[in-house]
Amino acid sequence: EPGCVIKLKFMKNFINEWEKIDHRTKKTKAALVGALSSIIKENRLAEVTVSELARRASVTRRTFYNHYPSVEALVEDVEERVIGTVLAMLEFNKELFSPGHTYEFFLKLAAGLKRQKELWKLFSSTKGNYRILERLKGYLEKYVRGFLGESGEDKETFSFRVRIYLDSLIRLFLEWMEGSMKISNEKIAEMASRMTEALLGTKDKK
């Protein structure tokens, strides 16, 4: 299937490119990502400057430009890492994203996402970066369509239902990772599973 080929190619490229990077470069990039994470707690993405990133990462502006041509390029690099991580988790657990197994699926997803929560905080909609969320919806929609199969609905109604579901699911996990909801992995998995049942019309087997 063309979509799967593109998705797998994206994952392989993401992993291969990261493995090629030397230790010093990884350390510098990690410092810049940490600086971005720190700044974004106080400002919107559009307000981030190279000077402030370099200062907080304890590197020179020249070092920054040796790795990234702009703040936007740094943000895109982090987006690629986040999306690559999510796609890998989806691919490794795709057999669980099916009626009767959604709780198990979301439990594994919650554990993986929690390890990346600092990166996810960069993409809170309150910080003005909606692009990554739209990209993720595009990937996730393929999984949802496979989950539902032939629904018998007209195309417009079907697409609307999928969009409502994904908007609600993504918001649920974002608020959880941002710390708005102090609940366990098990509870968020249960909430996501129930949301799937309610909005997609499926029910897990108990």
Side-chain angles (χ1 to χ4, degrees):
E1 183 179 326
C4 288
V5 171
I6 292 172
K7 181 172 58 187
L8 289 172
K9 185 176 180 181
F10 179 98
M11 289 169 58
K12 288 177 180 177
N13 288 343
F14 164 76
I15 294 170
N16 290 339
E17 290 303 313
W18 183 248
E19 288 178 344
K20 290 177 186 176
I21 300 174
D22 63 58
H23 177 71
R24 181 178 296 180
T25 298
K26 285 181 181 179
K27 186 176 179 179
T28 301
K29 287 191 170 186
L32 289 169
V33 170
L36 180 63
S37 180
S38 174
I39 295 171
I40 215 65
K41 292 175 183 176
E42 307 159 16
N43 304 283
R44 294 171 64 86
L45 276 172
E47 300 167 345
V48 178
T49 65
V50 172
S51 294
E52 184 64 8
L53 277 168
R55 185 183 71 79
R56 295 206 191 192
S58 298
V59 300
T60 63
R61 283 172 55 90
R62 181 176 180 179
T63 297
F64 175 90
Y65 285 116
N66 283 341
H67 296 287
Y68 299 104
S70 64
V71 173
E72 173 70 10
L74 169 59
V75 173
E76 287 181 0
D77 186 35
V78 178
E79 283 186 359
E80 295 297 302
R81 291 196 219 175
V82 170
I83 291 176
T85 300
V86 173
L87 290 183
M89 284 190 288
L90 289 173
E91 192 63 28
F92 293 142
N93 299 291
K94 62 183 178 181
E95 73 283 354
L96 293 178
F97 192 58
S98 59
H101 300 284
T102 55
Y103 172 78
E104 299 166 75
F105 173 81
F106 287 120
L107 190 59
K108 287 180 177 290
L109 185 65
L113 291 177
K114 201 167 187 177
R115 290 192 291 269
Q116 300 285 330
K117 67 178 182 178
E118 289 305 314
L119 289 181
W120 275 102
K121 287 180 181 178
L122 302 180
F123 303 111
S124 162
S125 58
T126 60
K127 299 302 180 183
N129 186 359
Y130 298 93
R131 181 180 59 196
I132 189 173
L133 302 183
E134 292 305 312
R135 290 181 66 189
L136 275 173
K137 286 177 191 176
Y139 288 115
L140 292 173
E141 187 172 342
K142 296 182 179 70
Y143 283 87
V144 175
R145 289 181 179 277
F147 180 91
L148 290 172
E150 295 295 329
S151 66
E153 295 173 293
D154 63 86
K155 186 176 180 180
E156 186 175 346
T157 301
F158 182 82
S159 295
F160 179 73
R161 185 155 65 103
V162 170
R163 286 199 304 273
I164 291 296
Y165 169 67
L166 290 176
D167 285 341
S168 301
L169 187 69
I170 289 172
R171 174 49 51 198
L172 175 71
F173 274 98
L174 278 179
E175 290 197 12
W176 176 61
M177 287 185 289
E178 288 168 5
S180 302
M181 299 185 291
K182 305 294 184 182
I183 57 179
S184 65
N185 291 13
E186 290 77 13
K187 187 63 178 178
I188 198 72
E190 180 184 345
M191 292 172 68
S193 183
R194 288 182 177 179
M195 181 182 290
T196 302
E197 175 185 332
L199 296 179
L200 298 186
T202 63
K203 189 171 183 178
D204 268 11
K205 299 173 184 176
K206 301 299 182 184

